[in-house]
Amino acid sequence: MQEPIKEKVLMDHIPKHIAIIMDGNGRWAKARSLPRISGHKEGINSVREITRVCGEIGVRHLTLYTFSTENWKRPSSEVSALMHLLLKTIKEEIEELHREEVRFTIIGDLDTIPSRTAKGLMEGVKMTEKNTGLNLNLALNYGSRQEIIKAIKNLALKVQSGDLNPANIDINLLSDCLYTRDIPDPDLLIRTSGECRLSNFLLWQIAYTEIFMTELFWPEFREKQLMDAILDFQSRERRFGNVGQKIQN
Ligand code: IPE
Ligand code: IPE
Ligand code: MG
């Protein structure tokens, strides 16, 4: 059933890095009179499917916004259910991810994540660190503004110690102080659930990223919807400030 759309996607023009704001789990559950956590559980099925498809079509990095620095404002029952679900999921999925050569990484501040969850996640990172397939990168307790402040403090300390001349601070130097220092900027950013905002996600890194918004809730976002987003991406002309081929006289 899904073959025709997969065939339409240009395999030599697959985004190297896809970042996703996985939003709408709660509303998906509410629409079905289910508790919010059921939406998070169903969202994991989307994560599994999207990860598999990204691996199959040759995406190199998939960054998933899993928990923001602002999500601590939620009721503590939801936060602890999410942390528990995260640990349970990684324990259940990591062997299969490892077999598929997925390299599992995390961006964000793990220091304030419950220690059992952080430990379980770090075991997954360690286990898969030499894998050469898809990089599945979870943004966890991640906030882009906090990330940028951390980078600036880092640079300021180097200036203070005399190791860095402020005149030499440039885009590359700051990028190298971010959690994402080893991965290219996203080519495609997807946000589900109809919200048109960035919610403190990768603000620096998405300077020239193509953005795709969909009304669908995250648990409804599966292989076909990913292919639609990639097809849309492939129809765009990225100009990076230059004049484009299509609009030159
Ligand atoms: C996204 O779904 C998952 C997380 C932020 C952890 P939400 O939980 O934000 O779902 P809505 O936006 O309330 O529907
Ligand atoms: C963004 O979704 C964070 C994640 C998907 C992890 P939110 O649901 O927290 O965003 P807002 O509050 O609607 O902006
Ligand atoms: Mg939300």
Side-chain angles (χ1 to χ4, degrees), residues 55-69:
E56 283 170 8
I57 63 176
V59 172
R60 298 305 304 150
H61 307 274
L62 173 65
T63 299
L64 301 178
Y65 204 6
T66 307
F67 193 87
S68 75
T69 43

Side-chain angles (χ1 to χ4, degrees), residues 36-37 40-41 67 71-89 112-118 140:
R36 289 178 58 85
I37 194 70
H40 297 313
K41 285 183 181 158
F67 193 87
N71 286 148
W72 297 107
K73 293 177 192 163
R74 294 185 178 206
S76 61
S77 55
E78 177 164 343
V79 171
S80 57
L82 276 169
M83 293 300 155
H84 185 258
L85 191 59
L86 202 58
L87 179 61
K88 182 171 172 290
T89 305
T112 42
I113 294 280
S115 56
R116 263 163 54 89
T117 301
L140 239 185

Side-chain angles (χ1 to χ4, degrees), residues 21-23 65-68 71 74 191 195 197 199:
I21 303 176
M22 310 183 289
D23 199 13
Y65 204 6
T66 307
F67 193 87
S68 75
N71 286 148
R74 294 185 178 206
R191 182 166 189 152
E195 308 294 359
R197 57 176 170 258
S199 305

Side-chain angles (χ1 to χ4, degrees), residues 171-185:
I171 291 174
N172 288 332
L173 215 56
L174 198 134
S175 295
D176 283 347
C177 295
L178 300 175
Y179 294 123
T180 48
R181 68 184 71 85
D182 296 325
I183 58 179
D185 289 343

Side-chain angles (χ1 to χ4, degrees), residues 1 6-7 24 46 87 91 99 146 157 177 187 214-215 225 240 246:
M1 287 291 279
K6 232 180 181 172
E7 278 165 19
S46 292
L87 179 61
K91 285 205 176 300
R99 262 195 301 280
Q146 292 83 341
L157 283 172
C177 295
D187 302 292
T214 167
E215 295 288 322
Q225 290 72 32
F240 300 98
K246 290 182 191 161

